C-alpha cells in the first residue's frame, strides 16, 4: 500500500504520524493485546493529529469495525477484502497496480507474502473468522517480485504467510508448484542472497523439505520457527491442534539429524482453559528437553466467537501472567545458551544499514560486531556471549 500510494502521485512518506496528512493503520486482532495496541494508536492519532485523514484496515477492521469507530468516529474503516481499493479511496487514481514490492522501506531484509488464510479452526484462534480462505501468490507473481528484490540489493527474503507449508499452485505451463518446489525455484535464482521462513507448522516439515534445507548450504536459512503451543497431549487435544508432542519431537529430531546447528524456535501458550499446573509443567519440561534457541510466549487471550471462549475452567488472569513469566524466564535461559554455543564458530551475518553494528546470522542468532562494516553479508567469528547477546569480529568482508 505504501509503495502504491507513493508511486501514484506527488505525495511523500514521513517518519512521524504527527506530521502526516494521511495516516494508514494496518491492524492485527490475533490477541486482546493486539487490539489494545491498535486502538491506542488510533486514539493517539485522532487526538493529536485531528486534521489527518485516518484510514484503518487489517484484521481488526474486518472483525469489529464498530469498535474502531467508537474510538475514532472520523476514521475510514476498510476491511481486508477491500485493501486494494485504498489508493483510489485516497485520491491516487494513477496509483499503479503493482505485481509485488520492489523495495522495503528502511530495511535490507525483504518480507515477501506468499500465502494467506487458515482453515484449521484451533479452539483459541480468531484468524479463521477473518481470514478463512487459503490463498497463495501465483508462482509467476512471486518469481517476479523475488527477482526484483534480489536485483534491488536485498540479501534476505523472508517468506511470510499463515500456513507457509500449504503453498500450492500451478504455473502457467500447468506444472504443480508445491512448497518445496517453490523453494527450489527461488534458491535457483542468480545472486548472493538467502531465503528465510517466518514460521512453519511441524506437519509441513517433510523429509523433502529437510533435505532441501540441508543441501542448500545456508541459502535456505537453517532457522525454523515451529509452533508447539503446548506439550501436554490433553491440552493439545482441547486446543484442536492436529499433532502430538511425540510427533513434534520426532520431526525436530529429524531436522537436527541433518542440521545440527539449526536455530529452532517455537510459540508457547500459557493459560489455555483448563490447563492445570501439571499440564503447564509438561510444557516447561518439554521446552527444556528440546533445547530451543528461543520462545515466543503468548498468554491465552479469550476471543469472543472462538470455541475456547466458551470452555469452562477459564484460568484466572493472575495465574496466566505468572505462568507466562516463568516461561519467559526459561526463554531467557535458552537464548543465553544459544549465544554461548555459538562462541568460537563462524557465521555469515547480514547487517541492516550503513551505521549498524548489529546483524543476523543464518540461524537467527543476533550478533553485535566490533565495528561497522556497512550493509550486506559479512563473515564473522563469534568471540563471546553475555546473556542472550553474542559478539563477533569481522574475519573477511563480502557484500
Amino acid at each position: 500500500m505504501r509503495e502504491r500510494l507513493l508511486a501514484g502521485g506527488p505525495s511523500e512518506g514521513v517518519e512521524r504520524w504527527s506530521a502526516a496528512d494521511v495516516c494508514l493503520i494496518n491492524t492485527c486482532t490475533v490477541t486482546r493485546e493486539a487490539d489494545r495496541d491498535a486502538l491506542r494508536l488510533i486514539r493517539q492519532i485522532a487526538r493529536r493529529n485531528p486534521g489527518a485523514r485516518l484510514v484503518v484496515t487489517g484484521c481488526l477492521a474486518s472483525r469489529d469495525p464498530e469498535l474502531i469507530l467508537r474510538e475514532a468516529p472520523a476514521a475510514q474503516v476498510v476491511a481486508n477484502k477491500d485493501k486494494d481499493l485504498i489508493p483510489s479511496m485516497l485520491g491516487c487514481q494513477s496509483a499503479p497496480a503493482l505485481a509485488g514490492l520492489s523495495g522495503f522501506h528502511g530495511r535490507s531484509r525483504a518480507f515477501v507474502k506468499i500465502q494467506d488464510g487458515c482453515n484449521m479452526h484451533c479452539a483459541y484462534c480468531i484468524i479463521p473468522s477473518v481470514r478463512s480462505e487459503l490463498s497463495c501468490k501465483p508462482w509467476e507473481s512471486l518469481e517476479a517480485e523475488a527477482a526484483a528484490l534480489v536485483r534491488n540489493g536485498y540479501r534476505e527474503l523472508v517468506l511470510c504467510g499463515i500456513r507457509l507449508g500449504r503453498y500450492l499452485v500451478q504455473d502457467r505451463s500447468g506444472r504443480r508448484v508445491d512448497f518445496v518446489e517453490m523453494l527450489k525455484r527461488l534458491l535457483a535464482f542468480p545472486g548472493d542472497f538467502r531465503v528465510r521462513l517466518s514460521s512453519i507448522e511441524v506437519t509441513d516439515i517433510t523429509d523433502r523439505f529437510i533435505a532441501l534445507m540441508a543441501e542448500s548450504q545456508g541459502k535456505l536459512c537453517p532457522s525454523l520457527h515451529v509452533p508447539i503451543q503446548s506439550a501436554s497431549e490433553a491440552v493439545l487435544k482441547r486446543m484442536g491442534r492436529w499433532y502430538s508432542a511425540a510427533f513434534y519431537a520426532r520431526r525436530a529430531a529429524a531436522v537436527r539429524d541433518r542440521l545440527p546447528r539449526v536455530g529452532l524456535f517455537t510459540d508457547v501458550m500459557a493459560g489455555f482453559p483448563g490447563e492445570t499446573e501439571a499440564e503447564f509443567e509438561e510444557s516447561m519440561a518439554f521446552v527444556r528437553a528440546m533445547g530451543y534457541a528461543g520462545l515466543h510466549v503468548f498468554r491465552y487471550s479469550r476471543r469472543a466467537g472462538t470455541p475456547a471462549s466458551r470452555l469452562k475452567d477459564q484460568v484466572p488472569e493472575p495465574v496466566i501472567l505468572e505462568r507466562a513469566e516463568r516461561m519467559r524466564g526459561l526463554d531467557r535461559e535458552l537464548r543465553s545458551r544459544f549465544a554461548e554455543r555459538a562462541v568460537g564458530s563462524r557465521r555469515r551475518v547480514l547487517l541492516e544499514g550503513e551505521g549498524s553494528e548489529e546483524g543476523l546470522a543464518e540461524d537467527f542468532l543476533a550478533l553485535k560486531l566490533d565495528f561497522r562494516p556497512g550493509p550486506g553479508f559479512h563473515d564473522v567469528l563469534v568471540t563471546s556471549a553475555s546473556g542472550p547477546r553474542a559478539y563477533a569480529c569481522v574475519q573477511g568482508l563480502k557484500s
Side-chain angles (χ1 to χ4, degrees), residues 66-381:
E66 293 80 12
L67 178 61
I68 293 168
L69 291 171
R70 285 200 295 272
E71 300 291 343
Q76 187 171 3
V77 182
V78 181
N80 270 324
K81 64 183 179 64
D82 296 323
K83 274 182 178 176
D84 286 346
L85 303 177
I86 287 175
S88 60
M89 289 178 183
L90 295 174
C92 296
Q93 302 298 334
S94 60
L98 302 174
L101 289 168
S102 61
F104 219 84
H105 179 68
R107 297 180 183 271
S108 61
R109 302 167 68 220
F111 293 77
V112 184
K113 184 174 180 179
I114 68 165
Q115 185 276 335
D116 200 0
C118 183
N119 57 3
M120 293 307 293
H121 297 281
C122 297
Y124 53 80
C125 189
I126 197 68
I127 287 175
S129 71
V130 290
R131 296 190 181 195
S132 60
E133 184 179 347
L134 288 171
S135 62
C136 300
K137 183 169 287 185
W139 165 248
E140 286 77 14
S141 298
L142 172 55
E143 180 183 38
E145 181 173 357
L149 288 165
V150 172
R151 281 196 309 271
N152 290 341
Y154 291 89
R155 295 290 177 254
E156 183 171 303
L157 306 181
V158 184
L159 304 186
C160 302
I162 298 173
R163 291 293 308 276
L164 289 187
R166 301 291 90 187
Y167 185 89
L168 179 61
V169 297
Q170 284 189 334
D171 64 17
R172 285 197 184 119
S173 64
R175 287 175 295 185
R176 185 177 188 268
V177 183
D178 65 4
F179 177 58
V180 174
E181 174 63 21
M182 175 270 295
L183 290 172
K184 283 182 181 177
R185 293 185 181 196
L186 286 182
L187 295 173
F189 284 7
D192 190 14
F193 70 98
R194 65 194 186 193
V195 174
R196 190 183 300 277
L197 306 181
S198 57
S199 68
I200 185 171
E201 293 290 351
V202 68
T203 44
D204 294 324
I205 299 178
T206 63
D207 290 343
R208 282 176 67 219
F209 168 73
I210 296 170
L212 178 64
M213 179 171 278
E215 292 161 7
S216 75
Q217 298 182 320
K219 195 165 186 177
L220 179 55
C221 289
S223 70
L224 291 173
H225 191 106
V226 190
I228 180 70
Q229 304 301 359
S230 173
S232 163
E233 303 294 4
V235 174
L236 285 171
K237 186 175 181 179
R238 292 200 301 273
M239 285 179 167
R241 299 294 281 177
W242 56 95
Y243 52 82
S244 66
F247 175 85
Y248 185 106
R250 289 195 299 272
R251 295 318 296 160
V255 171
R256 284 185 165 137
D257 183 57
R258 294 294 304 271
L259 293 148
R261 280 198 346 192
V262 68
L264 186 61
F265 299 80
T266 196
D267 293 340
V268 185
M269 183 180 294
F272 185 79
E275 182 186 63
T276 65
E277 180 64 19
E279 289 168 340
F280 176 73
E281 283 294 343
E282 282 185 71
S283 290
M284 290 282 285
F286 184 90
V287 167
R288 285 194 186 94
M290 289 295 298
Y292 289 108
L295 314 174
H296 188 177
V297 181
F298 286 91
R299 291 174 293 169
Y300 167 70
S301 187
R302 192 174 190 177
R303 314 300 285 147
T306 61
S309 69
R310 300 187 293 272
L311 291 176
K312 297 178 180 179
D313 301 323
Q314 296 284 326
V315 179
E317 191 67 24
V319 175
I320 295 177
L321 290 169
E322 187 270 338
R323 288 178 184 169
E325 188 50 42
R326 281 158 58 194
M327 192 66 80
R328 289 190 180 108
L330 181 52
D331 170 54
R332 290 188 286 272
E333 291 178 26
L334 293 169
R335 290 181 188 272
S336 296
R337 290 176 197 158
F338 183 48
E340 289 166 7
R341 286 197 301 269
V343 174
S345 67
R346 283 177 165 77
R347 292 288 195 273
R348 197 167 195 229
V349 107
L350 177 64
L351 269 69
E352 281 282 4
E354 285 292 344
S356 177
E357 60 182 13
E358 295 192 358
L360 201 58
E362 60 273 23
D363 57 357
F364 212 68
L365 176 67
L367 287 159
K368 186 170 183 179
L369 275 59
D370 56 352
F371 73 106
R372 296 179 173 86
F377 285 130
H378 302 285
D379 298 318
V380 305
L381 175 68

